[in-house]
Amino acid sequence: MGKWIKSQAYLDYVDFITALNQKVKGLKTTDDLHVSPVTEAILAMLGQLDQWIDEIPPIDQPQRFGNKAFKTWFTKLQENAERLLQEALPAELRPAAAEVSTYLVESVGNSTRIDYGTGHEAAFVMFLFCLYKIEALKEEDCPATVLQIFTKYLELVRKLQQTYRMEPAGSHGVWSLDDHQFIPFLWGSAQLIGNPTLQPHHFPDPKIAAENAKDYMFMNCIEYINKVKTGLFAEHSNQLWNISAVPYWEKVNSGFLKMYKVEVSMYLKVLSSNVITLRCGMSRN
């Protein structure tokens, strides 16, 4: 671990997370954003993966969790990921698809354990990272990378989790804030910085979360939790409940970033050590 956190790859990965965090401060998910042809192509690719879930329904089995139909879906992704990414990239960048697509495959969960957690989420962030590394995506694509591509990915993995009854990877998703995710809470809290009406103490209210779910990723995550969990919010999501007492979104966001740096990205084994600094307005914190 010591070698990893001192590596350029670790620093660049954290820089990328931080840069995108900066790029979505104060933005709504529904804002009119710059959407490049590559962004549109990646969104279409994720839409194709979503369609495959409908084509590969869960099978009848005695186990309640870990539906084995996920293995079939996952195998189809493995067999087609490189081709799908090639189709999404400009012709001159298609040779990179063989390497970059491996992160896409790793981002949807583990086909042996049929689980999903923060490591898989990080693999998708690394997938995005690589798209900037090869300059398929540019600095002007940063807001849409978070608010359109990552949002579409989040919809995809939630559908996978629900359809195939995927378990949280590790203990409660290791360091996830719900059962599986972390990053949408980080980037989603950045969207709310400076919001004149929504404060952290508002988000445990199911009505407020639902009313603002389309505009803010953080509220969308809370709405999703309220749909899939029962009981008191303070009991099933105690860590988030505690965070609702923080007075300002700036402090929530900076706290999430520190938590991610210390507790999540230091331990990730899915990340490559062959990453160069991206051109996405990065500045180290």
Side-chain angles (χ1 to χ4, degrees):
M1 185 183 72
K3 184 178 180 181
W4 161 241
I5 64 174
K6 294 177 182 178
S7 69
Q8 190 64 45
Y10 169 76
L11 295 174
D12 288 345
Y13 177 77
V14 171
D15 278 351
F16 182 64
I17 297 284
T18 305
L20 291 183
N21 186 69
Q22 293 289 332
K23 293 292 184 179
V24 297
K25 283 185 177 180
L27 295 182
K28 290 183 178 181
T29 307
T30 50
D31 281 346
D32 186 15
L33 305 173
H34 168 78
V35 178
S36 66
V38 172
T39 297
E40 290 180 340
I42 297 298
L43 290 169
M45 181 186 70
L46 293 173
Q48 178 68 67
L49 303 187
D50 184 286
Q51 184 178 328
W52 290 350
I53 302 174
D54 299 330
E55 297 170 0
I56 304 172
I59 62 172
D60 291 330
Q61 62 179 43
Q63 301 93 339
R64 181 182 176 190
F65 293 99
N67 193 280
K68 293 181 180 179
F70 175 71
K71 296 176 183 287
T72 303
W73 185 93
F74 186 87
T75 298
K76 188 168 184 176
L77 174 60
Q78 280 184 310
E79 293 173 347
N80 291 277
E82 182 177 348
R83 174 186 60 79
L84 289 174
L85 186 54
Q86 285 177 338
E87 293 173 354
L89 293 175
E92 67 274 14
L93 299 179
R94 287 172 186 167
E99 178 182 355
V100 177
S101 63
T102 60
Y103 295 107
L104 177 63
V105 173
E106 289 293 327
S107 75
V108 296
N110 184 283
S111 64
T112 302
R113 299 187 302 269
I114 312 182
D115 64 11
Y116 174 96
T118 47
H120 303 106
E121 176 187 78
F124 190 77
V125 177
M126 183 59 76
F127 169 71
L128 298 173
F129 191 171
C130 291
L131 293 179
Y132 280 92
K133 175 184 173 181
I134 65 174
E135 299 187 348
L137 294 174
K138 313 288 186 180
E139 183 169 357
E140 58 268 26
D141 296 308
C142 289
T145 296
V146 174
L147 302 180
Q148 294 202 16
I149 297 177
F150 188 83
T151 296
K152 185 71 172 179
Y153 163 75
L154 190 57
E155 293 172 358
L156 172 69
V157 293
R158 283 174 179 171
K159 188 172 180 178
L160 287 170
Q161 292 156 21
Q162 291 184 305
T163 302
Y164 301 121
R165 305 286 292 174
M166 299 177 75
E167 299 258 35
S171 175
H172 197 67
V174 193
W175 300 281
S176 57
L177 293 168
D178 62 7
D179 283 345
H180 303 279
Q181 314 293 158
F182 191 110
I183 288 293
F185 293 96
L186 169 63
W187 289 340
S189 63
Q191 290 180 269
L192 288 158
I193 290 175
N195 191 288
T197 57
L198 294 173
Q199 300 302 324
H201 68 85
H202 289 128
F203 75 74
D205 185 325
K207 183 180 179 182
I208 292 177
E211 288 174 348
N212 293 278
K214 291 183 178 180
D215 288 331
Y216 300 104
M217 190 185 302
F218 188 99
M219 294 298 182
N220 180 271
C221 289
I222 301 301
E223 181 192 41
Y224 180 72
I225 290 172
N226 290 331
K227 287 179 178 178
V228 299
K229 291 184 178 292
T230 58
L232 296 175
F233 189 87
E235 294 179 357
H236 61 61
S237 301
N238 183 256
Q239 190 169 3
L240 285 167
W241 173 258
N242 291 335
I243 289 167
S244 71
V246 177
Y248 306 111
W249 287 112
E250 292 90 338
K251 191 170 182 180
V252 172
N253 184 250
S254 63
F256 281 154
L257 187 57
K258 289 176 183 176
M259 188 189 306
Y260 192 81
K261 288 179 181 179
V262 173
E263 296 185 5
V264 180
S265 54
M266 284 187 181
Y267 296 91
L268 297 177
K269 296 180 180 179
V270 298
L271 303 182
S272 170
S273 60
N274 183 28
V275 180
I276 62 174
T277 302
L278 303 179
R279 300 172 184 173
C280 196
M282 293 186 190
S283 61
R284 285 192 173 78
N285 286 345

